[in-house]
Amino acid sequence: MRFFLLIILFFITTQILANPITFTNEEKEFIKKNTLVKVGMMPDFAPFSYYTKNTPVGFEHELLNIISQRTGLVFEKTIAKWTTIYTAFKNKELDVITSISHKKFREPFTTFTSSYYDIPITVFVRDDFGEYLEIKSLIGKKVGVLKDVFYIEELKKVGDINLVYYDTYEELTKDLVFGKIDALMQNLTNINYFIKKNLYSNIKIASELVLPNTKKEDLRLGVNPQKPILASILQKALNSITNKEKEELVTKWIGSIKEYKGGHIELNKDERAYLNTKVIKYCINPDGLPFEGLNEKGAHSGISSDYYTLFEKVLSAKFKLVKTENWNESITYVKEGKCDMIALGMETYERKKYLNFTSNYLNVPLVVATTVDVPFINHILDLQGKKIGIIKGDAFVKILRQKYPSLNLVEVENIKEGLEKVKNGKLFGYIDTLASIGYEFQQKYFGELKIAGKIDETLKLSMAVVKDDKTLLNILQKTIDSLTNEIHREIFNKWLPIKYEKGVNYDLVWRVALVSLVFILLVVYWNRKIIKTNKLLAKAQKDIEDKNKELEKLATTDKLTNLYNRRKIEELLKLEINRNERFGHNFGLAIIDIDKFKEVNDTFGHQTGDKVLEEFATILNTNKRKTDFVGRYGGEEFVIICPESDLEGTLKLMESIKNKISEYPFYRVENKTASFGVTISKKEDTVKSILNRADIALYNAKNSGRDRIEYK
């Protein structure tokens, strides 16, 4: 019995341990004298050799680590595009090259090891390619291939295929996506990496490439033929790798690879089993857009929805939304075990009693929304004694009450209620995130409410998991750790900046028209009664024209500065937007605010303030281009419209005006500065959307220290 057990133990051990390597004396001497081996590898050959956060990783790097441990050789890696390392290897500047396939024409300058992995070569096309009927479908087409790839000669023999050569795989894939080539040929795993990395959605597999003498891409180590002993050592090292070790390498880097912009996410066996068997139930705030909410069809929408979609794709996980009526009910469901996790939540002492939190992956500033006539708020203590709205149950209710007991915080059910109460004068202000308030501004409130200041606190959002589920927490944390700034930026920018729609208010237009009509009728009636001669009639008609011009000026001009008023500026903006839609003529827009203007009125009086406004208007009017429009938008805010201008031209003009302002000796107050919010027209802009972008940029300029220009 013991003998039988020993046999079983021996069999298991030989399957687990590496096959022993027996080196000849000559090989041992070579290793002793030539420990350092120069090897060429690629930077973009995923999953075999590529970069994650400036670190080279992949199947081949781990393979070389194993060989190094088994032989004592040390690999000095040169990581460069294929054409560079291939040329260096042919010129004997490298001892070894990875990822090389065996071909007869390479034998004079290469000694090949056995293959360590074989990959099918695949033809990729765009969705609009049409039906692919073997390689004859590529005749007359532009087909992208990597320079010096091993099947070039076989492709050339097909004839009438327009081969386009590339140095890198990423350029090759990108040109197919954007239509510069009609198809490409490359191994499946490598192109799949770039599809997932860049979220390409218009590429598909046409077929496996079938050519004479070419079936698969056989990846081998190529060795300088002048070093046959090194080739023998490397082959013995490859032979020593057991089937189990090979399977583990393949499973880790190829079979279960999770590739996207964040790179490789390495899950252990228990974590993979969890995702394969578990349906993860999650709760959200159903009324928390743009972060998360339910759309008109009752489906999960918002920023957190995009993260869940990404996580599902990357992890092959199954997420299921558990719908609730409000945020408080979502918290209750988590406590009762009806949800496994919440999508977005801020870590607090109370919540940590029943939830574990990942690191925060969204940091969003808190701001205060007020009516447009409220001055810029520099500090939260400026709100003392005033009624300030905040959502009931929000994590910051307790934090702000403890930190600022003098604040009069009024809890509201949701953001809509809070903003409505500010609009109606029932609340002085409302505190929420910049993203949430900006999202609501797209629906309404523009011109009625504004972001008046930033609160020092920041909303730090994490994913939260019920206390007893450590496996899910670890999976989510690994995924969050792999997210790049680019991924966060893409998701966030999808929901912000906000687009605005505005209907035209014709009330003032009709009033002016009615006054003009009454005035004209009165004058005509008077003239017909009193003036009998043609000369007097002509004079009366001229008077009417002058009066109409005066009325038009009154309706479109700011009385104090003689610049265009708000109504006229919005009218001109609408005209420029129409020109942009019809002819593609872009234009620039700047909102300019005099810094700390309230101090002028408080210190020197309103007469001095009016004088400063007049001088400020003169600076803007005399330093704009002849084709530009300038107006006073309200209070100390001014607007400049720059037709036929790009970003560079608009920023250059604003920089010149900013310098003129800071150098000007204003009446009594001497020096003043201004902050600028700049934007450029976009397709499908509205008056509200472009003004809102400039307004957010102005807010950023104010919040970043004033006397500066910010672009949105």
Side-chain angles (χ1 to χ4, degrees), residues 42 62 64 72 83 145 162 241 260 457 537 540 621 642 670:
M42 286 183 279
E62 193 159 337
L64 290 182
T83 50
V145 292
N162 184 3
I241 299 174
Y260 70 117
E457 276 65 33
L537 182 58
N621 205 29
C642 304
E670 292 299 325

Side-chain angles (χ1 to χ4, degrees), residues 98-337:
T98 62
S99 305
I100 193 167
S101 295
H102 177 267
K103 280 293 174 183
K104 194 76 176 172
F105 68 86
R106 289 175 173 169
E107 289 181 354
F109 57 87
T110 311
T111 299
F112 295 93
T113 67
S114 59
S115 167
Y116 51 81
Y117 198 80
D118 293 342
I119 326 172
I121 306 165
T122 308
V123 180
F124 287 85
V125 297
R126 285 189 312 283
D127 289 342
D128 58 0
F129 183 86
E131 187 178 7
Y132 181 87
L133 301 172
E134 300 180 348
I135 198 161
K136 62 183 179 181
S137 298
L138 300 178
I139 292 175
K141 305 285 188 181
K142 290 183 179 179
V143 179
V145 292
L146 198 70
K147 289 179 183 175
D148 297 319
V149 73
F150 68 97
Y151 45 84
I152 286 289
E153 295 304 319
E154 279 80 3
L155 276 177
K156 289 179 179 177
K157 292 175 185 176
V158 174
D160 296 326
I161 294 178
N162 184 3
L163 295 176
V164 182
Y165 300 101
Y166 288 86
D167 288 318
T168 68
Y169 296 107
E170 190 147 22
E171 291 173 0
L172 172 64
T173 312
K174 183 178 179 181
D175 277 7
L176 176 60
V177 170
F178 292 102
K180 293 184 179 180
I181 55 177
D182 302 303
L184 68 81
M185 294 174 182
Q186 185 50 37
N187 71 66
L188 180 62
T189 54
N190 186 231
I191 301 303
N192 269 349
Y193 168 77
F194 289 109
I195 291 172
K196 293 177 181 178
K197 175 185 175 185
N198 298 299
L199 301 180
Y200 293 142
S201 59
N202 65 337
I203 299 181
K204 66 179 181 180
I205 297 172
S207 174
E208 187 173 338
L209 179 64
V210 179
L211 288 170
N213 305 317
T214 301
K215 293 184 179 179
K216 292 187 177 182
E217 186 167 2
D218 50 319
L219 302 183
R220 305 168 186 262
L221 298 178
V223 187
N224 182 340
Q226 295 176 357
K227 297 187 176 183
I229 298 175
L230 175 60
S232 174
I233 293 168
L234 293 176
Q235 185 60 63
K236 286 182 177 181
L238 288 174
N239 293 342
S240 76
I241 299 174
T242 65
N243 289 335
K244 182 176 177 60
E245 288 174 319
K246 288 177 183 176
E247 287 173 6
E248 288 176 351
L249 273 175
V250 170
T251 298
K252 179 176 180 179
W253 293 103
I254 302 168
S256 62
I257 194 166
K258 307 293 181 187
E259 295 293 350
Y260 70 117
K261 289 187 181 180
H264 181 75
I265 300 174
E266 189 172 331
L267 301 178
N268 61 38
K269 182 173 69 175
D270 292 338
E271 290 163 346
R272 288 197 296 269
Y274 181 100
L275 293 176
N276 289 334
T277 58
K278 175 81 170 177
V279 175
I280 303 165
K281 295 178 291 183
Y282 69 97
C283 287
I284 65 169
N285 180 356
D287 194 31
L289 290 171
F291 293 106
E292 58 186 12
L294 299 177
N295 61 21
E296 62 276 3
K297 296 180 180 179
H300 186 185
S301 181
I303 291 173
S304 71
S305 172
D306 286 358
Y307 279 105
Y308 269 89
T309 301
L310 179 63
F311 281 25
E312 281 185 325
K313 183 183 297 184
V314 170
L315 297 170
S316 300
K318 305 176 188 72
F319 289 99
K320 180 181 179 181
L321 173 65
V322 178
K323 294 182 181 179
T324 57
E325 292 297 322
N326 52 52
W327 173 241
N328 285 327
E329 187 175 63
S330 293
I331 293 295
T332 302
Y333 272 33
V334 170
K335 289 179 179 178
E336 294 174 351

Side-chain angles (χ1 to χ4, degrees), residues 288-292 303 346 362-369 389-391 394 396 415 419 430-441 451 453-455 457-461 492 496 699:
L289 290 171
F291 293 106
E292 58 186 12
I303 291 173
M346 181 172 173
L362 278 180
N363 294 341
V364 190
L366 288 186
V367 296
V368 57
I390 191 167
I391 289 181
D394 189 274
F396 277 103
I415 187 171
L419 293 176
Y430 170 77
I431 291 175
D432 210 321
T433 65
L434 174 62
S436 297
I437 290 176
Y439 184 82
E440 288 302 318
F441 277 10
I451 297 170
K454 177 184 174 184
I455 308 303
E457 276 65 33
T458 299
L459 182 64
K460 297 180 179 180
L461 295 170
F492 203 74
L496 294 170
Y699 165 77

Side-chain angles (χ1 to χ4, degrees), residues 5 19 40 43 57 71 79 168 184 190 270 336 397 525 565 580 622:
L5 289 173
N19 297 322
V57 295
T71 63
I79 301 178
T168 68
L184 68 81
N190 186 231
D270 292 338
E336 294 174 351
V397 174
Y525 175 79
N565 61 14
N580 182 27
T622 55

Side-chain angles (χ1 to χ4, degrees), residues 301-476:
S301 181
I303 291 173
S304 71
S305 172
D306 286 358
Y307 279 105
Y308 269 89
T309 301
L310 179 63
F311 281 25
E312 281 185 325
K313 183 183 297 184
V314 170
L315 297 170
S316 300
K318 305 176 188 72
F319 289 99
K320 180 181 179 181
L321 173 65
V322 178
K323 294 182 181 179
T324 57
E325 292 297 322
N326 52 52
W327 173 241
N328 285 327
E329 187 175 63
S330 293
I331 293 295
T332 302
Y333 272 33
V334 170
K335 289 179 179 178
E336 294 174 351
K338 296 178 182 178
C339 296
D340 300 310
M341 61 176 293
I342 56 177
L344 286 173
M346 181 172 173
E347 182 176 336
T348 65
Y349 175 77
E350 290 297 324
R351 291 174 183 173
K352 284 178 70 175
K353 293 177 182 177
Y354 54 90
L355 289 170
N356 285 321
F357 290 82
T358 66
S359 59
N360 54 285
Y361 63 99
L362 278 180
N363 294 341
V364 190
L366 288 186
V367 296
V368 57
T370 67
T371 52
V372 292
D373 57 341
V374 173
F376 190 82
I377 295 169
N378 293 294
H379 195 274
I380 191 171
L381 292 179
D382 293 343
L383 303 173
Q384 286 184 113
K386 298 178 173 62
K387 289 184 178 181
I388 306 298
I390 191 167
I391 289 181
K392 183 179 180 181
D394 189 274
F396 277 103
V397 174
K398 188 173 182 180
I399 294 171
L400 292 177
R401 279 184 172 151
Q402 289 176 343
K403 195 170 181 180
Y404 306 104
S406 60
L407 286 183
N408 183 6
L409 293 178
V410 179
E411 293 186 57
V412 296
E413 288 298 326
N414 51 51
I415 187 171
K416 293 180 178 65
E417 180 187 342
L419 293 176
E420 276 297 315
K421 286 188 173 181
V422 174
K423 175 185 171 183
N424 297 330
K426 295 179 181 179
L427 293 173
F428 177 80
Y430 170 77
I431 291 175
D432 210 321
T433 65
L434 174 62
S436 297
I437 290 176
Y439 184 82
E440 288 302 318
F441 277 10
Q442 76 175 325
Q443 313 297 330
K444 49 184 176 179
Y445 305 121
F446 191 82
E448 298 172 312
L449 303 182
K450 72 174 184 179
I451 297 170
K454 177 184 174 184
I455 308 303
D456 289 340
E457 276 65 33
T458 299
L459 182 64
K460 297 180 179 180
L461 295 170
S462 309
M463 287 188 171
V465 181
V466 293
K467 271 285 185 183
D468 58 352
D469 198 340
K470 297 292 178 62
T471 303
L472 177 57
L473 181 71
N474 292 335
I475 292 170
L476 295 175

